[in-house]
Amino acid sequence: MAISFAFDGDDVVWTQRFDRPAVYLDTFAIRAIAESDEQSARFAQGLKACNGTWLLAAVSMGEFARFADPRHAERAEWLVAQVVPHVYLFLSDPAEARARRGDTDPAKRSLPPSDRRNMDYFSRKWAQTQSFAETFQGMFQVIHENRGRMTETLEEVTSKLVASITQCRQMETYRSKAKASRPDDGRTRQQIISGELLRELVLDPNASITANDAVDLMHAIDAVDYCDLVLLDKAWERRVNALHQRIADTGIAMPIARCLSMRNGGIDELLEAIERWP
C-alpha cells in the first residue's frame, strides 16, 4: 500500500511507496468519478486488487477551490476515503530543481516527490486516530473553506505560466529550436515531455493559451512522466498520443503513461485497464 504510518517512540514515521500501476486523474476526472457511487467503488476496488497507487497532486486538490458547491468537496472526500491507503500525496518539483538533477536518460523514471508538509500533518492526525479514514477526513473541506485565498494563488501561478509561454514563443529562435527538437536529443525526461506537449502551442504563436491550458499542462507533465494510466482533457490526450508516436519514431526507450480522456467512455476504459492490470 502506498501510505503507511508507524510509531517510533513518541514520534510517528510516515512512508509512501509508489506501487504500479500508478494512476492520475485531473480535477474534473476526480469530480466525475466521485459523483458516481459505482465508478468510485470500481476505482477503489481496482486499485486495491492490483496494489496500485493513485497519484494525488497538490494542484488537483487546489483546483477544488474553484467550486463553490461544497458537495464537490464532500464527494472527493468520499472517494479518498475508499481508496486510502493506496494514495500517494505529491507536490511537483520546481523546474529548476528538476533541471539540477540533470538525468538525461529518458528510460529512467524517477519517483515523484512526496508532499511532505501534508504527510507530516496527516501523520500527526494518524497518531491520534490510528484510522486511515479519520486521518484523511477533511482534506478537501479545508480547501473549500479557504477557496478564496487558494483561488488567488492558483490564478497567480497560471498567469505567470501563460505569460512565460507567450513570451517565449514570440521569439523566432525559440520556435525554431522547438521545431527541431527530438525526444532523443539529450534533454531530461520532463524537458522532453513538457516540450512535446507544448509543441503545437509554441509553433503557432497565434494559438490561444488560457489559464485552463496552464493548469492542464501542470497536470499533464508530471502525470505522463510518473504514471502508467492518466485521465486528462481530450486535447491533452491527443498531445500525449502525439508524444507516444514521436518516441516510437525515434526508436528510444522512454516509458510514459497511457492517456485517456473522459470523452468516448474514457472513465470506463480507465477502470477496465486498472481491473485488467497488468
Side-chain angles (χ1 to χ4, degrees):
M1 57 187 179
I3 293 177
S4 61
F5 300 104
F7 282 107
D8 182 10
D10 294 331
D11 296 325
V12 174
V13 177
W14 59 262
T15 58
Q16 289 201 115
R17 291 166 48 100
F18 198 61
D19 296 318
R20 298 190 181 279
V23 180
Y24 188 96
L25 310 174
D26 75 5
T27 303
F28 285 90
I30 295 174
R31 268 188 55 180
I33 292 175
E35 289 294 325
S36 166
D37 289 339
E38 178 187 356
Q39 290 176 340
S40 294
R42 285 184 65 191
F43 182 65
Q45 292 166 9
L47 279 179
K48 290 179 177 179
C50 66
N51 198 36
T53 304
W54 175 13
L55 181 64
L56 182 53
V59 67
S60 299
M61 294 187 287
E63 268 203 285
F64 271 78
R66 293 178 167 179
F67 308 138
D69 187 344
R71 193 172 67 90
H72 297 308
E74 293 167 3
R75 294 299 301 185
E77 296 248 343
W78 171 237
L79 180 59
V80 171
Q82 293 179 83
V83 177
V84 292
H86 292 264
V87 177
Y88 190 108
L89 298 186
F90 159 73
L91 186 63
S92 182
D93 271 347
E96 312 82 62
R98 296 196 298 265
R100 281 197 299 271
R101 288 201 292 268
D103 182 4
T104 56
D105 185 348
K108 292 183 178 178
R109 282 173 152 175
S110 58
L111 290 175
S114 293
D115 186 347
R116 293 184 173 276
R117 177 181 293 184
N118 271 323
M119 285 303 300
D120 287 343
Y121 169 75
F122 290 125
S123 69
R124 293 191 293 271
K125 286 190 68 177
W126 182 87
Q128 298 172 347
T129 67
Q130 296 183 49
S131 160
F132 277 110
E134 292 182 54
T135 294
F136 293 96
Q137 185 176 5
M139 61 190 297
F140 281 90
Q141 183 62 33
V142 169
I143 294 166
H144 180 74
E145 292 171 353
N146 295 276
R147 61 188 182 277
R149 177 174 54 83
M150 297 195 71
T151 299
E152 288 178 8
T153 300
L154 185 61
E155 289 175 350
E156 180 181 353
V157 171
T158 55
S159 64
K160 287 181 179 179
L161 182 53
V162 168
S164 176
I165 297 170
T166 301
Q167 181 181 27
C168 287
R169 70 179 184 171
Q170 297 304 317
M171 297 183 287
E172 185 175 349
T173 54
Y174 187 90
R175 296 198 307 275
S176 297
K177 188 175 180 179
K179 186 174 182 179
S181 66
R182 291 167 49 92
D184 59 352
D185 59 10
R187 290 173 293 163
T188 66
R189 279 180 58 88
Q190 288 217 343
Q191 286 171 339
I192 295 168
I193 292 168
S194 61
E196 293 293 329
L197 295 184
L198 279 171
R199 184 178 177 84
E200 68 178 56
L201 295 175
V202 169
L203 296 183
D204 181 2
N206 296 315
S208 172
I209 302 179
T210 66
N212 284 337
D213 291 326
V215 174
D216 288 345
L217 176 65
M218 292 163 63
H219 285 296
I221 292 173
D222 290 316
V224 170
D225 185 8
Y226 296 122
C227 291
D228 302 289
L229 300 165
V230 305
L231 195 58
L232 303 175
D233 181 83
K234 181 67 175 179
W236 295 94
E237 178 192 26
R238 174 173 52 77
R239 291 166 182 148
V240 173
N241 287 340
L243 172 54
H244 274 283
Q245 186 60 54
R246 294 258 293 167
I247 291 170
D249 290 344
T250 58
I252 62 171
M254 183 176 170
I256 60 171
R258 174 189 175 192
C259 185
L260 305 166
S261 72
M262 287 192 290
R263 296 186 187 182
N264 302 321
I267 292 178
D268 283 333
E269 193 173 352
L270 174 78
L271 297 174
E272 290 169 4
I274 295 170
E275 292 163 349
R276 293 195 307 265
W277 188 266

